[in-house]
Amino acid sequence: MEAGLTYEAVSSGKIDVAMVYSTDAKLLKYKLIVLEDDKHFFPLYNPAVLVREEILKKYPEIKEILKPLTLYLNENIIIRLNYLVDVVGLEPEIVAKNYLKGLGLIK
């Protein structure tokens, strides 16, 4: 089943269980619960900060500015940020900028 249809199928009761992306906004939209992977079958995908090399060379201060961001990103926060983009319809740049401003990482 196409990943995007999975959430609607679970929500409507057409299926009972599905594989999903643990940071997908539709988890929040449809109030779905991700089951614990107590057998550690699926690999963990930890968030990481990515910056193009040319940008880092042009603005080397970005490295230190973004370093604390790894402390503030987890699955729940990423789901909520994705929700603002995918469900509410805000632009990713706006969501990211507001989040970084809220953390005091940028002005």
Side-chain angles (χ1 to χ4, degrees):
M1 178 180 289
E2 183 186 326
L5 299 176
T6 300
Y7 301 95
E8 287 82 4
V10 171
S11 178
S12 68
K14 292 180 181 172
I15 61 174
D16 296 321
V17 178
M19 290 192 338
V20 297
Y21 299 106
S22 63
T23 57
D24 198 305
K26 290 184 180 181
L27 295 171
L28 188 59
K29 178 180 179 179
Y30 293 109
K31 298 178 177 76
L32 301 176
I33 297 170
V34 176
L35 301 176
E36 180 185 351
D37 179 16
D38 60 346
K39 303 291 184 195
H40 307 288
F41 178 78
F42 297 100
L44 293 176
Y45 293 98
N46 295 317
V49 176
L50 298 174
V51 179
R52 288 193 309 271
E53 188 174 0
E54 72 244 25
I55 298 299
L56 198 55
K57 284 180 180 177
K58 189 173 181 180
Y59 306 100
E61 66 275 12
I62 289 176
K63 186 175 182 178
E64 288 303 312
I65 291 170
L66 294 178
K67 191 181 275 187
L69 189 57
T70 57
L71 300 172
Y72 302 113
L73 282 179
N74 60 44
E75 280 187 353
N76 289 327
I77 290 170
I78 294 171
I79 289 170
R80 283 168 171 67
L81 295 173
N82 285 339
Y83 182 87
L84 292 172
V85 173
D86 296 338
V87 179
V88 176
L90 299 176
E91 290 295 321
E93 181 181 349
I94 300 298
V95 171
K97 192 178 284 186
N98 288 341
Y99 182 65
L100 294 174
K101 281 181 181 179
L103 293 174
L105 296 176
I106 63 172
K107 294 179 183 179

